[in-house]
Amino acid sequence: MLPSAFDYVVPDSLEEAVRALTEGPDARALAGGQSLLPLLKLRLARPARLVDLRRLDGLRYVRKVDGGVAVGGLTPHAEVAGSTLLVGGGRALAEAAAAIGDVQVRNRGTFGGSLAHADPSADLPAAVLALEATLLAHGPDGEREIRAGDFFLGPFATALRPGELLVGARMEIPEGSRGAYVKLRHKASGFALVGVAAVLEMDGSTCRRARLTVTGTGGRPLRLEETEEALAGLSLEDGRAVREACSGAGEVLEDVHDDLHGSAEYRRAMTSVMATRAVLRAVG
Amino acid sequence: MATTTVPKQIGARVRRKEDPRLITGASTYTDDLKLPGMAYCTVLRSPHAHARIASIDTSGAEATKGVLRVVTGRDVQEAIGGLPVAHKIEGLLEPPHRVLAIDEVRYVGDGVAAVVAEDPSTARDALERIEVEYEELEAVVDVEKAAAGGPFVHEELGTNVAFTFPFEAGDVDGAFQDAPVVLRQRIVNQRQIPFAVEPRAVAARFDRGHRKLEIWSSTQIPHLLRTQLSVMLGIPEHSVRVIAPEVGGGFGSKLNVYAEEALVGHLARELGRPVKWTATRTEGFQATIHGRDQLADVEIAASEDGVLHGMRVKLLQDLGAYHQLLTPVIPTLTVLMLPGAYRLRNLQVELKGVFTDKTPTDAYRGAGRPEANFIIERVLDLIADATGIDPIEVRRRNFFPADAFPADTCTGLTYDSGNYQAAVDLLLETVDYDALRREQAQRRERGELMGIGVACYVEICGLGPSAALPAGGWEACTLEVRRTGRVVVKTGVSPHGQGEETTFSQIVADALGVGLNDVEIAHGDTDYVPEGIGTFGSRAQAVGGAALSMALEDVRDKSRKIAGHLLEADPEDVVFDEGKLHIRGAPDRAVGFQDVVTAAYMADDLPEGVEPGLASTRFFEPSNFTFPFGVHLCVVDIDPDTGEPSIRRYVAVDDCGNVINPMIVDGQIHGGVAQAIAQSLYEQAVYDADGQLVTGSLMDYAVPRASYLPSYELRRTTTPTPVNPLGAKGVGEAGTIAGNPCVMNAVVDAVSHLGIRHVDMPATPEKLWRIITERD
């Protein structure tokens, strides 16, 4: 369990970090290391250089911004999970962060690290997608914004360009909205066999607009658009109606994973179950 | 055991003496060792389940800066003998098992070459520079196909069946003839991967001056390992020293002689430098023995009153690619224990041990007995279901009654002592069983899935009489009272979590009236502890503790003689009290224990015929195994939407005879049940059709977290064994043996109204979800 040799640099600023990432071939950014270190030890990743971001303290925050909340890329999951700013629809993100791994992982692993790694079974991608977050990338050409819906391209693939770091995200939390994240946990890895995030804009007990996303079923997190439409205008106090509205959530998914950990049929069925539970939990 | 005063320590919940150093990181494990000039070893392993090695080119590795030595199987075949298998099975086929493969690899993880380098990273890097050309062969993966014919794991054998072990008792055909209830069921014990938190590790140093080899190994059996390494490496046994430092868990996986132990010893000898190898987690999964992996086809003959009259069992044991130390012995324990707690008289078993291209199987907590108990306790529930009699009542009707002990089983065992009804009675005092059944009926009305599972068990512990074991079943103990009155116990049962430093100290404290901290329990060093067998088969107290008791009796006798002499009294009238010896009925006429010790070593005023010193070495040979027993109950709820099972309540009634330390016994039950829940609900080693281990990491192989496990309610009855002076039976494996059928009987019970009679382990959410949705 020893990695192959690599250069190791610890930049003091974001600019230095970006430079260190672009100077030579095969540089990788190291944030909390909760995914990267196991890959290094198994030699599944063999970067020529590791750029350790641990001194970039300015990227560790959850703060209120105009119309919503901003989260820094180096914020540990535990701080996202415990943030008092993530209320209403923002609960989807807090609960997704709380559902990651175990205590040690949540204290070391980072918000930006998890999103940039884009594991297809990770929890956070579902939440930022449901919140329609704006992700902030910083690279050689400065800072740019990427919509969450455009960010996740496939398994471990994102819209980040070479040398770009995911430095944070900004998301609106509509007034009176509700949110939740629930998952069926894979018993070995703790990752989502199926995870669903729900962000619901409400008029009293009636759902005005629903945003539902699923992770774990395919190569990237997806919006459950048909279910969102079925929930719009529905009274969410009626558990049976919610169940009915969510019952088709999994059926419409394409290219669902079918493997040792769960058949496609089971994952589809569980998508509907988790969608129902996410909605009921959000309004419960 | 004889104590003249009321025992103060035996039976007390004494905190473990070993814990402060273990939980503060002040202890030394094998991988912590750094010896001057130490070099580091890594092993290249086969990525194929079955392949011919066409060529190996080690030149790239050898040319790597810092690499000291690269060896292949051919390079060491003269210097290192084959790996041993200990058994008494007639006609067992024993294909060669080399420390590194020669010409052919037979499982993913089979060792191919080894590198020694100045540092671990260089050794790891060099592995990638060894070029091996493999010609892939068809992998033998499915045990039934392997039993039926080719291709063969070992071509030269012309078969994959390493042995057959037929057994028949009573009149089986007669029992089936006209039996009103005849049932058939396939019962699988899936392959498990023992998961010790400390992976295997070996370090070796060769003293060229004395021609002596020192081996540090994370092992359960330092003395047996010493003998085997002596044979494998051609070094006289007195010139081999094995040290087991702290051992961080074993569960049977370190009850073995592994290739790396001999290989590292040889490389240290050859290089003249200390060498260390530590398994990676991947090697822990691929190249450390696996457990279970039995397939049983069971036929049951019973009467309408729920009495089991006969069983026919066809048993296939997947051995993996080679024999490790006890590989073929494990399933024979299954055969012996098939009757469980019941008066089964007619039993026919056809056991076959079958090679496949997988990691070898061997002893894993319970070692053959969990398999047997899973079979018999599922059988009792199948009978209950078929006859409509409550599962607890069915068990009562089949039990050996309390007056039957010593009780002979149809498999030739004699159960030493027992009272199975009493255990069930205590269970029913603890649990309102009828209320649980009422609740279950109400929940079913509401569409909820709740199951109640009950399982009894009897297990073989205190391994055991030497005649019944392949490598000796005695245990040795040396007791030394030092001049200052401090006591050193040198025991052959080398612990890896069992807490003997505490329990043995309790025994000594009561016997000699000394403080717990005046006793040192030494173990795990073959130069310091003269002899021993090791820790496995729940034998540490029942056999090792018994040897200690014998040595204590010697020391007490001699102390009484010396005290009697000092007090001018008959030694028979001298009794031990706290820190002193006095004349019975006259506590004032006393000498301190220290006075006796001083007299023994000053030796200028000893009674006639008494030698100086105060020490004894004793070997205890048990006359029989011990047979602990008990009954467990659990309540399982299944989420009807997801199929996820959760254990709401777990009650264990165990009888392990006399208890030295109830807290440690509780801990053994907790851990044992946890590993049973693991097999029942979570853990399964999966190989694909090509023989790749697809559950080769903790990302895929679900070792349960603490949060997956319930709180345990523990109760005990106490039926001492007459087999040893402590009356203790052993408890290390009880929870594992009782737990699987207990949990699975509850799972099946939860879905029995859907027409389900059996569910294979592990009862995963998807498996249960399918059952629920397909019956809806």
Side-chain angles (χ1 to χ4, degrees):
Chain A
M1 301 295 252
L2 293 162
S4 52
F6 52 82
D7 287 338
Y8 177 72
V9 291
V10 192
D12 289 309
S13 69
L14 193 52
E15 277 61 39
E16 261 184 64
V18 169
R19 211 176 311 127
L21 282 168
T22 48
E23 271 168 0
D26 265 350
R28 287 286 295 266
L30 172 67
Q34 297 306 291
S35 298
L36 184 53
L37 287 187
L39 292 173
L40 292 175
K41 287 182 171 185
L42 292 166
R43 301 195 172 199
L44 294 172
R46 295 163 177 257
R49 164 182 280 189
L50 273 193
V51 180
D52 188 339
L53 308 178
R54 67 188 155 91
R55 287 190 193 146
L56 309 184
D57 293 333
L59 297 180
R60 180 172 173 165
Y61 60 81
V62 182
R63 62 181 171 229
K64 211 162 204 164
V65 292
D66 204 19
V69 174
V71 180
L74 290 180
T75 312
H77 305 311
E79 288 176 21
V80 176
S83 170
T84 52
L85 299 176
L86 292 170
V87 292
R91 293 302 303 156
L93 178 58
E95 291 186 4
I100 295 171
D102 52 34
V103 173
Q104 289 89 336
V105 170
R106 291 194 291 277
N107 277 295
R108 291 292 304 175
T110 66
F111 179 75
S114 174
L115 293 175
H117 186 56
D119 189 304
S121 298
D123 302 297
L124 290 184
V128 297
L129 189 62
L131 283 160
E132 295 179 333
T134 301
L135 306 184
L136 310 172
H138 193 108
D141 303 325
E143 192 151 305
R144 69 182 176 112
E145 298 186 345
I146 309 169
R147 294 186 312 157
D150 298 330
F151 185 76
F152 302 103
L153 304 181
F156 308 103
T158 70
L160 287 175
R161 295 171 188 151
E164 272 188 335
L165 288 166
L166 186 71
V167 293
R170 198 178 63 231
M171 58 216 84
E172 281 182 38
I173 298 178
E175 190 68 29
S177 65
R178 313 294 292 269
Y181 176 79
V182 295
K183 73 167 164 179
L184 195 65
R185 186 181 284 267
H186 180 254
K187 293 294 183 267
S189 68
F191 276 88
L193 205 61
V194 174
V196 172
V199 176
L200 310 166
E201 292 170 39
M202 305 293 291
D203 276 327
S205 64
T206 301
C207 178
R208 189 172 63 234
R209 181 173 175 237
R211 284 173 279 167
L212 252 66
T213 58
V214 63
T215 183
T217 56
R220 61 194 178 105
L222 296 171
R223 288 283 286 267
L224 297 169
E225 285 165 10
E226 286 86 347
T227 308
E228 292 175 353
E229 283 164 26
L231 287 165
L234 210 63
S235 167
L236 302 186
E237 277 178 349
D238 182 350
R240 185 179 296 233
V242 170
R243 200 181 176 109
E244 180 64 26
C246 294
S247 62
E251 282 167 30
V252 296
L253 296 173
E254 289 170 13
D255 299 326
V256 174
H257 286 159
D258 190 60
D259 57 28
L260 174 70
H261 305 309
S263 67
E265 186 189 1
Y266 185 59
R267 281 187 160 98
R268 282 200 173 92
M270 290 308 105
T271 301
S272 302
V273 172
M274 293 301 124
T276 306
R277 290 183 180 183
V279 170
L280 293 177
R281 180 176 167 81
V283 297
Chain B
M1 88 156 264
T3 47
T4 43
T5 50
V6 179
K8 292 189 171 70
Q9 298 297 345
I10 290 177
R13 302 182 86 87
V14 175
R15 285 202 188 182
R16 290 172 23 123
K17 288 170 69 173
E18 42 275 83
D19 281 349
R21 72 169 191 273
L22 292 171
I23 61 181
T24 59
S27 48
T28 303
Y29 294 84
T30 300
D31 189 54
D32 294 325
L33 285 177
K34 288 189 177 67
L35 302 171
M38 186 172 254
Y40 298 84
C41 177
T42 52
V43 176
L44 182 70
R45 298 190 182 276
S46 170
H48 303 293
H50 199 183
R52 195 160 292 126
I53 301 172
S55 67
I56 306 180
D57 180 357
T58 58
S59 58
E62 280 159 352
T64 303
K65 188 169 175 288
V67 169
L68 300 166
R69 187 86 170 96
V70 183
V71 292
T72 65
R74 286 221 179 280
D75 295 334
V76 296
Q77 66 175 333
E78 297 297 326
I80 311 177
L83 287 156
V85 50
H87 70 92
K88 293 178 176 175
I89 297 170
E90 213 174 302
L92 179 73
L93 299 180
E94 296 181 55
H97 184 190
R98 316 296 308 195
V99 295
L100 292 171
I102 297 175
D103 296 339
E104 202 165 312
V105 288
R106 296 186 173 87
Y107 68 95
V108 173
D110 208 354
V112 174
V115 173
V116 184
E118 294 285 355
D119 63 86
S121 282
T122 303
R124 173 69 184 81
D125 288 346
L127 287 188
E128 294 174 8
R129 300 189 184 114
I130 299 173
E131 307 276 345
V132 185
E133 203 184 319
Y134 293 102
E135 290 165 7
E136 278 192 69
L137 301 168
E138 192 179 339
V140 182
V141 181
D142 181 88
V143 72
E144 285 183 275
K145 280 190 202 155
F152 304 120
V153 176
H154 301 272
E155 189 62 41
E156 73 277 14
L157 299 181
T159 177
N160 289 315
V161 179
F163 69 97
T164 55
F165 186 88
F167 174 87
E168 182 147 9
D171 177 11
V172 178
D173 289 342
F176 275 84
Q177 200 159 26
D178 306 324
V181 179
V182 174
L183 304 164
R184 284 179 186 82
Q185 183 63 52
R186 169 163 284 202
I187 297 176
V188 180
N189 261 279
Q190 83 276 27
R191 183 175 276 247
Q192 300 281 284
I193 301 178
F195 185 81
V197 169
E198 184 211 10
R200 292 196 294 118
V202 190
R205 173 165 65 189
F206 189 70
D207 179 337
R208 286 182 171 181
H210 294 94
R211 308 293 303 164
K212 178 158 183 168
L213 180 68
E214 290 175 289
I215 297 264
W216 290 259
S217 183
S218 182
T219 182
Q220 300 172 222
I221 48 164
H223 289 91
L224 294 181
L225 181 60
R226 172 182 67 180
T227 308
Q228 293 300 333
L229 288 176
S230 157
V231 173
M232 290 174 77
L233 297 174
I235 300 173
E237 189 172 0
H238 59 263
S239 297
V240 179
R241 176 188 192 183
V242 174
I243 299 169
E246 303 291 1
V247 178
F251 315 113
S253 73
K254 294 170 181 171
L255 159 56
N256 227 305
V257 177
Y258 281 104
E260 295 80 8
E261 291 171 318
L263 193 57
V264 167
H266 166 72
L267 291 167
R269 171 175 64 180
E270 199 185 61
L271 289 166
R273 288 179 61 172
V275 176
K276 183 166 75 180
W277 169 85
T278 302
T280 63
R281 269 296 163 219
T282 305
E283 289 178 305
F285 276 90
Q286 293 181 350
T288 298
I289 62 101
H290 291 177
R292 316 279 189 259
D293 213 348
Q294 274 186 12
L295 196 159
D297 283 311
V298 185
E299 280 184 86
I300 305 153
S303 48
E304 277 160 352
D305 60 357
V307 174
L308 171 63
H309 290 290
M311 277 206 306
R312 292 194 189 105
V313 182
K314 284 198 170 127
L315 203 58
L316 287 184
Q317 171 71 49
D318 190 331
L319 302 168
Y322 304 97
H323 298 303
Q324 281 281 352
L325 188 61
L326 297 167
T327 299
V329 178
I330 305 305
T332 65
L333 288 172
T334 306
V335 176
L336 288 180
M337 287 314 294
L338 275 172
Y342 311 109
R343 298 180 318 265
L344 174 65
R345 306 296 357 156
N346 308 304
L347 174 66
Q348 184 189 71
V349 189
E350 185 194 300
L351 163 64
K352 284 183 186 171
V354 183
F355 287 122
T356 59
D357 285 311
K358 299 180 215 162
T359 299
T361 54
D362 203 317
Y364 175 53
R365 201 168 190 171
R369 292 159 285 165
E371 294 90 321
N373 204 52
F374 186 64
I375 293 170
I376 187 67
E377 290 297 316
R378 284 297 304 128
V379 163
L380 270 280
D381 260 31
L382 290 167
I383 295 172
D385 177 78
T387 58
I389 303 168
D390 184 87
I392 292 182
E393 180 57 26
V394 167
R395 284 168 173 80
R396 284 189 191 277
R397 291 183 187 183
N398 285 281
F399 275 154
F400 282 107
D403 61 5
F405 296 92
D408 293 331
T409 72
C410 68
T411 52
L413 297 169
T414 301
Y415 291 173
D416 53 344
S417 63
N419 190 343
Y420 307 156
Q421 298 278 3
V424 169
D425 291 344
L426 181 58
L427 176 75
L428 296 178
E429 283 171 31
T430 308
V431 177
D432 189 341
Y433 182 73
D434 294 336
L436 284 175
R437 286 287 172 208
R438 284 195 298 275
E439 182 191 341
Q440 180 186 36
Q442 287 160 4
R443 285 183 185 269
R444 276 185 181 171
E445 299 263 310
R446 299 201 293 267
E448 297 174 17
L449 301 168
M450 165 186 168
I452 304 157
V454 174
C456 297
Y457 72 96
V458 177
E459 60 153 331
I460 308 181
C461 282
L463 271 51
S466 294
L469 292 192
W474 45 266
E475 198 46 77
C477 180
T478 293
L479 179 74
E480 298 170 0
V481 183
R482 297 282 164 84
R483 287 172 174 79
T484 55
R486 300 298 203 279
V487 181
V488 176
V489 174
K490 299 174 176 178
T491 176
V493 283
S494 186
H496 48 288
Q498 290 77 8
E500 274 121 83
E501 290 176 32
T502 306
T503 52
F504 280 23
S505 294
Q506 292 175 258
I507 295 169
V508 172
D510 273 354
L512 301 181
V514 298
L516 287 175
N517 292 326
D518 294 328
V519 187
E520 189 212 335
I521 309 300
H523 53 77
D525 180 342
T526 61
D527 268 14
Y528 192 63
V529 179
E531 265 304 348
I533 299 287
T535 293
F536 55 88
S538 300
R539 67 193 304 276
Q541 286 305 336
V543 192
L548 169 61
S549 296
M550 293 165 70
L552 279 167
E553 271 315 299
D554 289 348
V555 165
R556 283 162 59 91
D557 284 347
K558 187 165 177 179
S559 298
R560 274 196 216 96
K561 280 183 189 151
I562 296 171
H565 179 68
L566 296 175
L567 293 166
E568 296 178 347
D570 186 340
E572 294 295 314
D573 293 334
V574 174
V575 294
F576 274 79
D577 206 342
E578 223 162 309
K580 60 184 183 175
L581 294 86
H582 64 77
I583 293 172
R584 195 186 312 276
D588 294 346
R589 289 191 61 200
V591 289
F593 181 59
Q594 181 62 56
D595 298 327
V596 171
V597 176
T598 302
Y601 283 99
M602 293 301 287
D604 54 358
D605 186 19
L606 287 174
E608 205 177 314
V610 172
E611 295 169 11
L614 197 53
S616 170
T617 294
R618 294 298 295 267
F619 286 64
F620 176 69
E621 170 63 42
S623 58
N624 189 3
F625 300 104
T626 59
F627 295 90
F629 59 91
V631 56
H632 289 199
L633 176 145
C634 78
V635 181
V636 168
D637 298 303
I638 298 174
D639 184 324
D641 293 331
T642 64
E644 284 191 297
S646 61
I647 298 174
R648 188 204 312 172
R649 193 170 180 197
Y650 198 104
V651 183
V653 178
D654 296 284
D655 191 323
C656 56
N658 288 337
V659 168
I660 314 297
N661 185 325
M663 185 186 71
I664 287 176
V665 168
D666 288 355
Q668 289 286 349
I669 298 289
H670 283 199
V673 174
Q675 275 175 306
I677 293 172
Q679 181 173 4
S680 300
L681 302 184
Y682 303 113
E683 294 186 24
Q684 178 171 31
V686 179
Y687 284 85
D688 69 13
D690 298 326
Q692 292 291 331
L693 177 63
V694 292
T695 53
S697 83
L698 287 170
M699 290 293 280
D700 306 298
Y701 185 82
V703 178
R705 321 289 211 263
S707 63
Y708 297 4
L709 302 170
S711 280
Y712 305 112
E713 299 170 52
L714 306 187
R715 301 286 182 274
R716 267 194 285 282
T717 58
T718 303
T719 310
T721 176
V723 172
N724 65 62
L726 288 168
K729 288 190 169 185
V731 72
E733 297 151 294
T736 323
I737 291 167
N740 285 337
C742 181
V743 174
M744 293 309 296
N745 283 345
V747 167
V748 173
D749 187 52
V751 291
S752 61
H753 60 300
L754 305 176
I756 298 300
R757 297 292 164 264
H758 185 75
V759 176
D760 281 332
M761 298 186 287
T764 59
E766 178 164 357
K767 199 180 281 177
L768 296 173
W769 172 80
R770 280 189 186 285
I771 286 172
I772 298 161
T773 47
E774 279 163 18
R775 306 288 155 150
D776 262 359

